[in-house]
Amino acid sequence: MSDEYQIAGEYLHLLSEAAWQALRTPVTQALRGAAGDATLVDIGAGSGLGTEVLAATVPDGDVIAVEPSPLLRAVLLSRVAAHPDLRQRVTTLAGDALGVELPGRLGAVLAMNMIGHLDPDGRRTFLRRVAERLVPGAPLVLNLQPPAEPTPVPFTVFGEVQVGRHTYEGGGSAEPSGSAAVTWRMRYRVLDTDGAVLREDHADYRWHVVAPEVLLTEMADAGLTGEIGALDVVRATRRP
Ligand SMILES: C[S@@+](CC[C@H](N)C(=O)[O-])C[C@H]1O[C@@H](n2cnc3c(N)ncnc32)[C@H](O)[C@@H]1O
């Protein structure tokens, strides 16, 4: 089985921590209405930074964290297992947004930084799968990430994090790839104390872009009412 995050998986957690410090408040607010008596799901959980927020928002809730990448699932499972409360409540599943078997009643669904992995058909199927299962008032929370159109994005360094003697650096650029997608070309580096590059890794992945109004229309077609909040965090609930 191929692992889309085989290269990036080493770096993703470290380089996502800063973004999640900013996302924590808007995501917690968007999770209002989460129902602790139904299953809470994090789809494309990565290293579990969002899973932690979901679990903290509903303190006694039963959580499922779905992650297709074996490498990231290992990071996720070890982080969950190291935390006594999460270890008791979070079940990790090998699966993806369209194939994973979901419980009939969902108390909240989190799908952060992942919607672009789904093509337009997949996105609509995912929204329907979630809408059919969310209990009344319970939210689907995801986010929009630029670009909203298939336009080039010049190379930028996204972040640098120091661990021990090494600095981990992540950056990337994007090029249009078809009418509704871009290909991100990511560059990861490990730098020594003197700035020397000890390792450099590259990873390409396709990202399906979606404009805010298109996503809201697709949500409405699936029976969801969506709204876009701070940091482009989108909250949707089932239409009564
Ligand atoms: C950029 S990471 C975000 C991880 C995590 N949600 C976060 O915000 O830190 C994207 C995640 O989506 C997962 N993913 C990719 N394709 C997926 C799919 N079809 N269904 C569910 N998750 C998918 C990846 O394995 C990865 O964990």
Side-chain angles (χ1 to χ4, degrees):
M1 180 183 159
S2 75
D3 184 346
E4 215 183 346
Y5 278 78
Q6 195 169 357
I7 302 290
E10 178 181 351
Y11 306 97
L12 188 83
H13 178 73
L14 274 185
L15 294 167
S16 302
E17 283 178 326
W20 269 100
Q21 271 178 18
L23 283 169
R24 191 177 185 97
T25 298
V27 168
T28 301
Q29 283 169 357
L31 283 168
R32 68 188 179 279
D37 61 348
T39 309
L40 312 164
V41 183
D42 187 5
I43 301 274
S47 67
L49 283 159
T51 314
E52 289 174 307
V53 176
L54 182 58
T57 306
V58 190
D60 295 320
D62 179 43
V63 181
I64 289 175
V66 179
E67 176 47 53
S69 154
L71 198 158
L72 282 177
R73 211 163 51 242
V75 179
L76 171 68
L77 184 58
S78 60
R79 281 179 17 83
V80 163
H83 186 297
D85 175 44
L86 298 181
R87 189 180 180 112
Q88 208 190 336
R89 291 197 286 137
V90 179
T91 304
T92 64
L93 292 184
D96 63 32
L98 305 183
V100 70
E101 204 172 309
L102 291 172
R105 293 178 73 251
L106 298 180
V109 175
L110 189 63
M112 290 295 292
N113 303 308
M114 70 70 65
I115 200 70
H117 282 301
L118 304 181
D119 66 21
D121 279 349
R123 198 167 60 227
R124 287 188 280 266
T125 302
F126 172 63
L127 293 175
R128 274 199 309 277
R129 291 194 84 199
V130 170
E132 284 162 5
R133 291 170 172 83
L134 276 179
V135 301
L140 162 65
V141 176
L142 53 80
N143 60 333
L144 289 161
Q145 289 180 290
E149 304 290 334
T151 48
V153 180
F155 180 84
T156 330
V157 170
F158 300 138
E160 288 182 346
V161 180
Q162 199 176 341
V163 180
R165 291 193 307 271
H166 292 168
T167 299
Y168 294 79
E169 177 200 278
S173 60
E175 288 298 330
S177 164
S179 61
V182 294
T183 297
W184 277 101
R185 300 195 190 291
M186 305 298 292
R187 187 187 79 185
Y188 300 100
R189 284 172 146 185
V190 183
L191 309 169
D192 211 345
T193 36
D194 60 0
V197 178
L198 299 172
R199 278 200 287 141
E200 182 168 313
D201 278 323
H202 295 261
D204 288 2
Y205 65 92
R206 196 143 194 259
W207 188 256
H208 299 276
V209 298
V210 58
E213 59 280 9
V214 173
L215 181 68
L216 293 178
T217 302
E218 290 176 354
M219 286 180 155
D221 292 345
L224 297 164
T225 304
E227 62 187 11
I228 301 174
L231 296 186
D232 282 339
V233 172
V234 183
R235 176 180 194 269
T237 51
R238 238 170 65 184
R239 239 188 346 261

